[in-house]
Amino acid sequence: MNTLRFNTLQRYRPTRFKKVGSALLLLIAVFTFSLVTPSADAHDNTKIPRLANGKPDFSGIWQTTSAADYDLEPHSNRKDAPPGPGIVEGGEIPYLPKALAQRKKNFENRATDDPALKGYTLGVPRAVYYPEPFQIFQRARDLTVIPQFGHSVRTIHTNNTEHPEDPNDWWLGDSRAKWEGDTLVVDAKHFNDKTWLDRSGNFHSDALQVVERWKFIDPNTIEYKATLTDEQVFSKPWNISVILHRHREKNFQLIEDYRYTLDYDQYYPPKPDQK
Amino acid sequence: MKNNVSHLKLKLSIKSLVILAITTVPMFATSADDAKTKEVKPQEPVAAQQADGPSYRNEASFPKIASGKWTGPKLADGQPDISGHWSNTIANHNNFTDPQGGIPNDPAPRRTPLGKREDRAPSRVSDPADGQVPFQPWALEEVKKFQVGFHNPTEPKFIEPLARCAPGGVPKSFYWHGYEIAQYPGYVLFVFNNGTRIIHLDGKPHLPEKIKLWNADSRGHWEGNTLVVDVKNHNGKALFGRSGEFISENGTIQEKYIFSNDGKRYNYEAVFTDPTVYTRPFTVTIPARLWTYEDKPNGWHFEARLAKHAGKEPIVEREERICAENNGGFGLGARK
Amino acid sequence: MNSNLGKRQRAFSTLILGALISASLVSVAADENITPAAQEKKSAAKPVETTPPAQTRRPREKSFPKIPTGKWTGPRLADGQPDVSGFWSNTIGNHGNLTDPQGGVIGEARRTPLGPREQRAPSRVSDPADGQFPFQPWALAKVKEFQIGFHNPTYPGHVEPNARCAPGGVPKSLYWHGYDVLQYPDYVVFVFDNGSRIIHLDENKPHLPEKLKLWNGDSRGHWEGNTLVVDVKNHNGKALFGRSGEFISENGTIQEKYIFANDGTRYNYEGTFTDPTVYTRPFTITIPAIKYTRAEETDGWNLEARWAKHAGKTQILEHDERICHENNGGFGLGSAQK
């Protein structure tokens, strides 16, 4: 009765008999699967990797697929950025008025003023959502985070030590962490003001404090949340959240990315036919 | 290879006038593939499609389709199965309020004289009854300026965006080239030659308000034979066509795609609301029909062929969807 | 607060000053004391409560014990690796001069004359026996050009890359500032102030594709008793070996042995460098290193550490943030202008 329509995107519709048979097979398959495999609950924490001391082991190479580094806030596309829904809870960073003016200035000058252009360090928390992999090496006493980009290495202490008595203003701050169940809660502070939070000019002062929560969603996925506080820049604390995916490609490894050497590295080492 | 009707016309010349005249005519042509030669690679003759399909004519009127139950076939997830190749039955984007009346202020002489208004298809605006878009005065001024500037654009804003293959947006995509509707659990997909609309059926929230899109952001659900769609995040940049009407980024649209139970037609009825541009909401109605393997390929409505395969049943394949890639002045094709 | 940044600047100035002083120190044989002015500067640098103010740098060694390869009898990690994690630094000197490490930068004016050669530490080159790099003639010529150009570089290739905080690479990183050695199942990680080396212990993992050349090379290693054996490829050759201009090219490969003493306090690096496009034969570089375990030994070069603040009783050593460019500048000038 109906005009038979076929087109490139339409699925083949099986006959009634085939439908019933398929449904039966599916039912049997599901039943069997549920018998032989353990619970497929994505939040089954017994399957996540753990250190010998039982704590979740975040070791591995991680990367976000989010466009957060281009702009933490929701944004349409630009010539230098894909669009993104942003990762800021509530959609907007609560800038103090004077700081908002600075942010706008940063945005206009981002092609030259983004500190990441210097190539040495992304700071905290930007390295977490920068679109390049980073590797976590974890022992009982600490996590060492090595981003592929730049040279800086961040240590997150998990040995019940506190922020030092006489802190500096560090590029990566000082990170001290505690476990809340299977969530790693990191308190990072004592930053300088020389890094940005993203490419679009969102920034902070040396009063920045970042409280992070790292938690497995499943063995290959981490949910990363952070609360940023900076009374010189923001009117109140605000939250971000990204998902990090484990790199599982065979033999995947970091490949060093030292942008700052590219302007001069052609002059080394000497070559026989040079000069 | 296909030549698109979209064009960038910056200089009025006799040649342009003639070309313009030729391309405004196709909507009246009895054979719909005269103005645009489609260099389709010769296909194995699989079925009777090319030779014996009916010729296509645009309509001057169309049946209302009542919202109600869907009695046609359904997909596994319960959606009415309306996937396929569709296109509007009235005209292109030349003129929003007199779709078959040619581009407003067109200096090019008409090949055939315009007859009586009532002999042509009604305005795309079905409410208010006068068929006019209820613009605020400032907006109407802008539209009139566009209708003059279109023919000799001295400012970039007088170039109709389709000339550059910008996405057709909402609602213009529905009266431009034919398009495909594809359905999946959780989605209805509209695939146009210069863009895509993904209608999310799962009720997820719209994108943040400050993100504005050419094709906007759509959330839909089925009510019987009607796909009801809520459209936000419209960037307003595509305009409605060569007569210059528009919505702003403050506008929202409530769409209804009302399908006839034989699955061969649907009417688009959509309410456009924008308190910064209009004095009141208004309704746009666009009739569309399904194109199948029984129809002749058509360089505007139905750029398709029959697939080559071992089996017997006719399988329709869509030509590659490109626009910018092959854009150029009439008859010229893309250079780079 | 910029006061802390000022401290940072002073700390780094001290570091550079300290380096200068140490270089000049070794020209005065057997003199272990630091000039009063420098001492004063150092004391003012970093008044950290948990580290006693008096900081005396360990004296440079003129000789060092050979450590034989063999069994490891010290503590092990859960995965079986010898536990050698910690803060390490070489005992001889910096990258000023490869064949006469305590002899000062070649061509540099000296405050005091050099004494007899045998009173200083031997060449970094332990084989061949003459302590010289077996360069092909063209390469030796380039090295000599560098040794002149270094003092007044008119060609960018005569700027020693560490000056710009380029990664120290292999082997220079091992005789620059002190570094961390960290161990994990499947990895040994070296963290330097200006870069990292990740030694993959999974030797089934192939090296990176040959055309990828890295400042720190690409390393695959395994343990043999007390020795970490590492195969280094993908070396880009750009870091050079130091201020005397020796180098390897991107065609070079290195076979390294890190031989640890069973008491865990020392190791000797013995690396065999092969590059048929630069050398006439492979040669060996030997670098002795010791472990630093006390915050009191913080000296701005080998160690920049403090005792951690915590409720417990044990002493936990923490290293300071590893930066280089971030605080780079001319001698005594402190952090970069921009």
Side-chain angles (χ1 to χ4, degrees), chain A residues 202-218:
Chain A
N202 285 309
F203 71 105
H204 62 89
S205 78
D206 58 11
L208 176 70
Q209 179 177 12
V210 184
V211 177
E212 307 173 311
R213 304 181 77 88
W214 301 70
K215 187 169 108 128
F216 277 109
I217 296 178
D218 64 47

Side-chain angles (χ1 to χ4, degrees), chain B residues 156-295:
Chain B
K157 66 180 183 180
F158 295 141
I159 293 171
E160 208 283 325
L162 264 179
R164 295 194 233 237
C165 283
V170 184
K172 192 170 68 177
S173 299
F174 292 119
Y175 41 90
W176 194 54
H177 284 242
Y179 50 91
E180 193 164 354
I181 302 181
Q183 295 169 276
Y184 307 88
Y187 296 98
V188 177
L189 212 62
F190 288 80
V191 190
F192 310 106
N193 279 0
N194 59 1
T196 308
R197 283 186 68 188
I198 297 174
I199 319 294
H200 302 253
L201 303 180
D202 66 350
K204 62 162 71 76
H206 276 285
L207 285 169
E209 210 216 307
K210 70 161 79 150
I211 296 182
K212 303 295 187 188
L213 311 175
W214 286 82
N215 288 303
D217 187 53
S218 302
R219 301 288 179 267
H221 66 276
W222 283 96
E223 292 176 6
N225 69 340
T226 302
L227 176 63
V228 180
V229 181
D230 176 67
V231 182
K232 291 190 159 60
N233 306 86
H234 199 300
N235 77 3
K237 296 176 188 296
L239 310 185
F240 292 174
R242 293 172 174 155
S243 44
E245 292 88 352
F246 65 97
I247 193 170
S248 83
E249 60 172 33
N250 304 312
T252 58
I253 307 165
Q254 292 294 318
E255 304 177 315
K256 287 186 179 167
Y257 302 75
I258 311 166
F259 289 84
S260 62
N261 271 307
D262 65 359
K264 293 186 179 176
R265 298 190 63 107
Y266 81 83
N267 285 346
Y268 172 89
E269 289 179 15
V271 178
F272 286 61
T273 304
D274 191 338
T276 64
V277 177
Y278 314 125
T279 57
R280 49 156 275 186
F282 67 98
T283 304
V284 173
T285 299
I286 304 166
R289 63 162 283 222
L290 184 74
W291 291 70
T292 70
Y293 74 95
E294 290 172 343
D295 294 300

Side-chain angles (χ1 to χ4, degrees), chain A residues 74-87:
Chain A
H75 61 282
S76 301
N77 69 344
R78 303 192 278 259
K79 287 223 159 161
D80 63 345
I87 62 168

Side-chain angles (χ1 to χ4, degrees), chain C residues 16-63:
Chain C
I16 295 298
L17 194 59
L20 271 181
I21 285 165
S22 85
S24 61
L25 258 188
V26 296
S27 71
V28 182
D31 183 357
E32 297 179 2
N33 294 322
I34 304 173
T35 64
Q39 176 67 56
E40 197 183 294
K41 271 208 156 79
K42 278 185 143 188
S43 306
K46 241 180 171 10
V48 179
E49 272 172 46
T50 50
T51 301
Q55 295 158 7
T56 311
R57 181 175 298 186
R58 290 204 212 184
R60 301 288 193 211
E61 294 182 330
K62 297 178 305 184
S63 65

Side-chain angles (χ1 to χ4, degrees), chain B:
Chain B
M1 282 305 186
K2 61 185 183 205
N3 294 319
N4 289 300
V5 173
S6 312
H7 68 291
L8 190 62
K9 187 163 81 77
L10 288 178
K11 226 170 39 145
L12 206 57
S13 69
I14 298 297
K15 183 172 171 199
S16 308
L17 285 175
V18 171
I19 291 166
L20 178 59
I22 287 171
T23 49
T24 52
V25 160
M27 291 305 99
F28 302 92
T30 54
S31 169
D33 57 354
D34 57 353
K36 295 158 80 279
T37 51
K38 186 159 68 75
E39 295 163 62
V40 177
K41 297 199 207 347
Q43 294 289 308
E44 251 71 38
V46 176
Q49 181 197 35
Q50 267 85 0
D52 299 342
S55 294
Y56 173 74
R57 282 196 76 97
N58 280 332
E59 300 176 324
S61 67
F62 54 94
K64 185 164 171 68
I65 303 169
S67 300
K69 285 171 79 70
W70 172 257
T71 58
K74 290 190 185 218
L75 296 173
D77 66 341
Q79 291 187 57
D81 184 355
I82 47 83
S83 299
H85 303 272
W86 295 84
S87 194
N88 99 105
T89 59
I90 299 279
N92 69 356
H93 59 301
N94 274 351
N95 190 321
F96 198 64
T97 50
D98 187 1
Q100 294 167 348
I103 307 173
N105 303 328
D106 192 348
R110 299 186 56 79
R111 285 205 309 193
T112 54
L114 274 182
K116 292 187 281 205
R117 179 65 185 88
E118 54 268 26
D119 290 342
R120 298 195 295 280
S123 168
R124 300 291 190 184
V125 179
S126 54
D127 173 63
D130 68 358
Q132 298 302 309
V133 178
F135 280 117
Q136 294 175 10
W138 74 268
L140 187 60
E141 273 306 299
E142 294 299 322
V143 170
K144 290 199 183 309
K145 280 191 216 164
F146 182 96
Q147 290 175 355
V148 171
F150 173 86
H151 299 286
N152 186 22
T154 50
E155 286 179 63
K157 66 180 183 180
F158 295 141
I159 293 171
E160 208 283 325
L162 264 179
R164 295 194 233 237
C165 283
V170 184
K172 192 170 68 177
S173 299
F174 292 119
Y175 41 90
W176 194 54
H177 284 242
Y179 50 91
E180 193 164 354
I181 302 181
Q183 295 169 276
Y184 307 88
Y187 296 98
V188 177
L189 212 62
F190 288 80
V191 190
F192 310 106
N193 279 0
N194 59 1
T196 308
R197 283 186 68 188
I198 297 174
I199 319 294
H200 302 253
L201 303 180
D202 66 350
K204 62 162 71 76
H206 276 285
L207 285 169
E209 210 216 307
K210 70 161 79 150
I211 296 182
K212 303 295 187 188
L213 311 175
W214 286 82
N215 288 303
D217 187 53
S218 302
R219 301 288 179 267
H221 66 276
W222 283 96
E223 292 176 6
N225 69 340
T226 302
L227 176 63
V228 180
V229 181
D230 176 67
V231 182
K232 291 190 159 60
N233 306 86
H234 199 300
N235 77 3
K237 296 176 188 296
L239 310 185
F240 292 174
R242 293 172 174 155
S243 44
E245 292 88 352
F246 65 97
I247 193 170
S248 83
E249 60 172 33
N250 304 312
T252 58
I253 307 165
Q254 292 294 318
E255 304 177 315
K256 287 186 179 167
Y257 302 75
I258 311 166
F259 289 84
S260 62
N261 271 307
D262 65 359
K264 293 186 179 176
R265 298 190 63 107
Y266 81 83
N267 285 346
Y268 172 89
E269 289 179 15
V271 178
F272 286 61
T273 304
D274 191 338
T276 64
V277 177
Y278 314 125
T279 57
R280 49 156 275 186
F282 67 98
T283 304
V284 173
T285 299
I286 304 166
R289 63 162 283 222
L290 184 74
W291 291 70
T292 70
Y293 74 95
E294 290 172 343
D295 294 300
K296 268 161 67 165
N298 178 302
W300 179 266
H301 293 289
F302 188 47
E303 288 162 285
R305 72 176 89 82
L306 290 179
K308 175 182 176 189
H309 71 117
K312 285 200 177 49
E313 77 273 23
I315 298 175
V316 171
E317 284 179 349
R318 187 58 165 80
E319 188 64 58
E320 179 176 66
R321 294 174 202 291
I322 59 176
C323 185
E325 295 90 335
N326 204 34
N327 199 13
F330 285 136
L332 291 179
R335 224 168 284 271
K336 93 173 216 174

Side-chain angles (χ1 to χ4, degrees), chain A residues 2-273:
Chain A
N2 293 315
T3 308
L4 209 54
R5 303 192 296 274
F6 293 86
N7 59 52
T8 51
L9 299 179
Q10 184 185 43
R11 295 186 301 275
Y12 172 65
R13 286 178 292 140
T15 63
R16 178 180 295 268
F17 180 82
K18 281 189 183 150
K19 275 188 201 164
V20 169
S22 307
L24 203 58
L25 276 170
L26 187 63
L27 212 58
I28 292 168
V30 167
F31 183 63
T32 314
F33 179 78
S34 64
L35 282 181
V36 302
T37 57
S39 163
D41 180 3
H43 294 271
D44 181 354
N45 288 335
T46 60
K47 292 164 103 173
I48 62 175
R50 293 182 184 274
L51 296 176
N53 64 5
K55 303 299 186 200
D57 182 359
F58 296 114
S59 295
I61 304 178
W62 302 91
Q63 188 169 349
T64 185
T65 54
S66 156
D69 183 70
Y70 293 94
D71 193 335
L72 290 176
E73 292 179 317
H75 61 282
S76 301
N77 69 344
R78 303 192 278 259
K79 287 223 159 161
D80 63 345
I87 62 168
V88 177
E89 204 178 282
E92 261 190 25
I93 299 173
Y95 279 102
L96 294 167
K98 208 162 74 156
L100 187 59
Q102 179 63 47
R103 186 255 187 275
K104 289 192 159 88
K105 208 159 97 151
N106 289 348
F107 177 77
E108 276 149 35
N109 298 315
R110 64 193 185 277
T112 49
D113 289 1
D114 180 359
L117 293 168
K118 297 189 193 127
Y120 19 96
T121 187
L122 296 167
V124 173
R126 190 171 177 185
V128 174
Y129 45 80
Y130 191 77
E132 276 191 54
F134 60 88
Q135 186 154 7
I136 294 179
F137 295 92
Q138 185 172 344
R139 319 182 273 198
R141 78 189 92 151
D142 57 23
L143 281 76
T144 297
V145 184
I146 301 187
Q148 173 172 279
F149 180 92
H151 81 92
S152 63
V153 172
R154 178 182 176 202
T155 301
I156 300 175
H157 299 272
T158 48
N159 55 358
N160 295 317
T161 51
E162 302 169 38
H163 294 296
E165 280 296 345
D166 181 37
N168 263 333
D169 284 356
W170 286 293
W171 289 78
L172 304 178
D174 182 79
S175 297
R176 306 284 161 176
K178 287 189 158 11
W179 293 98
E180 285 179 9
D182 282 340
T183 301
L184 183 67
V185 181
V186 182
D187 177 50
K189 57 194 215 187
H190 305 304
F191 291 95
N192 63 31
D193 63 355
K194 295 184 188 304
T195 60
W196 278 5
L197 299 172
D198 64 20
R199 254 174 242 201
S200 73
N202 285 309
F203 71 105
H204 62 89
S205 78
D206 58 11
L208 176 70
Q209 179 177 12
V210 184
V211 177
E212 307 173 311
R213 304 181 77 88
W214 301 70
K215 187 169 108 128
F216 277 109
I217 296 178
D218 64 47
N220 298 312
T221 317
I222 292 174
E223 178 191 60
Y224 170 91
K225 288 169 128 88
T227 302
L228 284 78
T229 307
D230 188 331
E231 64 208 10
Q232 292 175 22
V233 179
F234 314 120
S235 60
K236 55 181 179 157
W238 49 284
N239 301 320
I240 58 174
S241 177
V242 279
I243 288 185
L244 301 169
H245 302 279
R246 186 191 295 276
H247 269 278
R248 296 193 278 165
E249 301 91 326
K250 195 162 152 55
N251 295 326
F252 191 85
Q253 65 174 85
L254 299 185
I255 300 173
E256 61 180 47
D257 183 2
Y258 299 122
R259 301 285 166 96
Y260 49 81
T261 62
L262 296 176
D263 281 339
Y264 55 79
D265 72 358
Q266 68 219 261
Y267 298 106
Y268 307 93
K271 297 198 198 337
D273 44 10

